Amino acid sequence: MARQVDFTFNSLHFTGGHAHARALFHDSVSRVEVEVSSYCNRVCPFCPNAKFRRLWARHQLPDYLYSQIVGGLGSIGYSGLFCFPRYNEPLADRDYILGRIRQCRADAPGAHTKIYSNGDYLTPDYFEALHRAGLHEMFITIYLGEKETYSDALMRERVLARLKAFGYPYKVVREIPVLIAVRLALPCPLKGHFRGARLDV
């Protein structure tokens, strides 16, 4: 069966130099990932960073560099995803990550903020603090034990049990074998929602 793929190019893609760099970035980039800390509380065998000393070293992205990133995005009216990605654990330092989210929302208000997390540090009040800080979306990975055998039913049970433990009403908005997306009803004045948990095979 034939498939059609359409490509769209802006004329600025064919210009040299940097005269149009800001416009080209605005028109071409829809996802920015910034790893603000080196620390992770887990050593997962499938993680490309597991071999490094991420359980002991707690290096953080310098303030001036983070300010340049989010300030630059705000200056071009960036409205794509701004992600705190999964190869560290961004929720390990609560005050630090809340400050980074607030700064992103202040300096690049059009960006859609998203965090990838293993969920180990989450508590109901942490959920609310993240929401108040301006987080739009969360991607939580639920893991099996090393000797457990994967099944869709088992992982669904784990995810729903975790959601129930938080005590918030929720609605499942998407469900496929390796992903359950939910919308939580948080008692916060801000609009928005978290989308829930990924199940890694």
Side-chain angles (χ1 to χ4, degrees):
M1 178 178 174
R3 299 182 66 184
Q4 178 178 322
V5 178
D6 295 326
F7 293 93
T8 302
F9 289 96
N10 186 301
S11 61
L12 298 180
H13 282 87
F14 301 99
T15 62
H18 301 285
H20 304 290
R22 289 164 58 83
L24 184 58
F25 187 98
H26 179 275
D27 293 342
S28 304
V29 177
S30 60
R31 181 187 187 97
V32 173
E33 296 197 0
V34 178
E35 188 170 304
V36 296
S37 171
S38 65
Y39 176 76
C40 188
N41 63 312
R42 290 186 180 224
V43 181
C44 299
F46 54 82
C47 177
N49 288 331
K51 62 183 178 180
F52 302 112
R53 295 173 60 86
R54 299 171 73 83
L55 283 170
W56 300 276
R58 287 181 178 257
H59 303 296
Q60 294 176 333
L61 189 69
D63 292 344
Y64 78 89
L65 185 55
Y66 185 77
S67 295
Q68 287 181 350
I69 294 170
V70 294
L73 293 174
S75 72
I76 62 169
Y78 179 75
S79 59
L81 278 171
F82 186 90
C83 301
F84 300 91
R86 72 190 81 203
Y87 293 124
N88 68 327
E89 179 42 57
L91 299 185
D93 188 327
R94 177 171 172 154
D95 291 339
Y96 178 75
I97 194 62
L98 291 175
R100 289 305 195 211
I101 295 167
R102 291 188 195 102
Q103 184 177 353
C104 181
R105 293 305 310 278
D107 294 350
H112 180 95
T113 53
K114 182 175 183 176
I115 277 182
Y116 290 85
S117 172
N118 59 33
D120 290 351
Y121 295 92
L122 281 175
T123 60
D125 69 298
Y126 201 172
F127 259 128
E128 294 181 29
L130 289 164
H131 194 49
R132 285 193 300 268
L135 185 66
H136 291 106
E137 189 173 348
M138 179 171 286
F139 201 90
I140 305 168
T141 306
I142 306 293
Y143 299 99
L144 284 174
E146 291 185 11
K147 297 182 179 180
E148 292 182 290
T149 301
Y150 175 87
S151 76
D152 292 339
L154 173 61
M155 294 308 294
R156 186 179 193 278
E157 178 184 327
R158 295 280 175 89
V159 170
L160 297 184
R162 188 70 190 276
L163 288 167
K164 183 179 180 181
F166 283 113
Y168 295 119
Y170 66 88
K171 178 182 179 181
V172 176
V173 295
R174 184 182 179 207
E175 184 171 355
I176 57 177
V178 295
L179 176 80
I180 297 176
V182 301
R183 184 171 294 130
L184 299 182
L186 298 179
C188 298
L190 296 179
K191 295 181 180 179
H193 63 271
F194 290 102
R195 288 181 184 171
R198 176 178 176 175
L199 314 180
D200 273 0
V201 179

